[in-house]
Amino acid sequence: MGLCNNKSSKRKEEFDSFKNNSKIIDVQKIFKESDFPIDFKLHFRNLRGVNLKVTDVYLVIDFFGFYKTTTYPIYYKNDPAWNLEEILEIKINSFSDLSRKIVLEVYHVDNTYLGNVNLTLGDILLGPIKNFIVINSNQKYIGRLEFELKMAQI
């Protein structure tokens, strides 16, 4: 995960220690307020549907409220894969910035909302995320979407 630069090799050691010895990592034990601002590169990729019970879906992805992208719909497939890769540079100025969110929403081409997931920068900072969205429509399971997020200090 690239949390190491010239001035923070000790932080990397602390991070690795916490990561290997704990299931819950408190970012305030890894960083101090004086470490900010920190520049990161966010890498979002490998977006695909898995065993969807619906076809003809598209996604709307909102990165922290300042950048939004919409995928193209994939027709007639229960396992759609989008050739989408987003790389964003992000400046984290304080601990409060760690609550900023990525929201990924799933829609049918008729604009019916199917589901979403919210991830904070704090969630992503703690390690690569391979996440999935369980899609429900009227409390009925429809399938899931998978994606990968990585964040590296630059």
Side-chain angles (χ1 to χ4, degrees), residues 12-14 23 31 33 40 43-45 57 59 61 67 69-70 75 77 79 90 97 106 123-124 140 145:
K12 168 129 176 51
E13 292 171 13
E14 291 173 13
K23 293 185 190 256
F31 296 104
E33 196 67 43
F40 283 94
H43 192 184
F44 180 87
R45 65 182 184 166
V57 296
L59 308 172
I61 306 163
Y67 173 69
T69 188
T70 301
Y75 294 96
K77 300 242 182 196
D79 294 318
I90 300 162
D97 284 350
V106 184
D123 296 331
I124 301 162
K140 184 176 179 183
L145 290 175

Side-chain angles (χ1 to χ4, degrees), residues 6 11 20 23 37 46 78 89 93 103 110-111 123 131:
N6 292 340
R11 294 272 178 242
N20 294 330
K23 293 185 190 256
N46 296 333
N78 295 91
E89 290 188 12
N93 293 308
V103 180
D110 67 4
N111 294 324
D123 296 331
N131 210 331

Side-chain angles (χ1 to χ4, degrees), residues 50-81:
V50 179
N51 297 323
L52 300 181
K53 296 183 192 252
V54 295
T55 60
D56 310 339
V57 296
Y58 71 94
L59 308 172
V60 176
I61 306 163
D62 183 344
F63 293 94
F64 320 111
F66 72 85
Y67 173 69
K68 190 180 268 192
T69 188
T70 301
T71 68
Y72 51 88
I74 306 254
Y75 294 96
Y76 313 115
K77 300 242 182 196
N78 295 91
D79 294 318

Side-chain angles (χ1 to χ4, degrees), residues 49-144:
V50 179
N51 297 323
L52 300 181
K53 296 183 192 252
V54 295
T55 60
D56 310 339
V57 296
Y58 71 94
L59 308 172
V60 176
I61 306 163
D62 183 344
F63 293 94
F64 320 111
F66 72 85
Y67 173 69
K68 190 180 268 192
T69 188
T70 301
T71 68
Y72 51 88
I74 306 254
Y75 294 96
Y76 313 115
K77 300 242 182 196
N78 295 91
D79 294 318
W82 288 270
N83 186 21
L84 174 72
E85 184 170 11
E86 294 287 344
I87 299 174
L88 303 171
E89 290 188 12
I90 300 162
K91 182 180 285 290
I92 299 174
N93 293 308
S94 68
F95 283 113
S96 64
D97 284 350
L98 296 175
S99 65
R100 292 168 51 194
K101 292 181 182 176
I102 294 175
V103 180
L104 195 148
E105 299 174 322
V106 184
Y107 292 89
H108 187 267
V109 292
D110 67 4
N111 294 324
T112 302
Y113 172 80
L114 297 175
N116 78 353
V117 69
N118 295 299
L119 295 168
T120 67
L121 274 174
D123 296 331
I124 301 162
L125 180 65
L126 298 178
I129 292 179
K130 290 185 179 179
N131 210 331
F132 65 92
I133 304 169
V134 174
I135 306 169
N136 294 296
S137 179
N138 297 326
Q139 305 299 329
K140 184 176 179 183
Y141 176 78
I142 293 176
R144 65 188 176 128

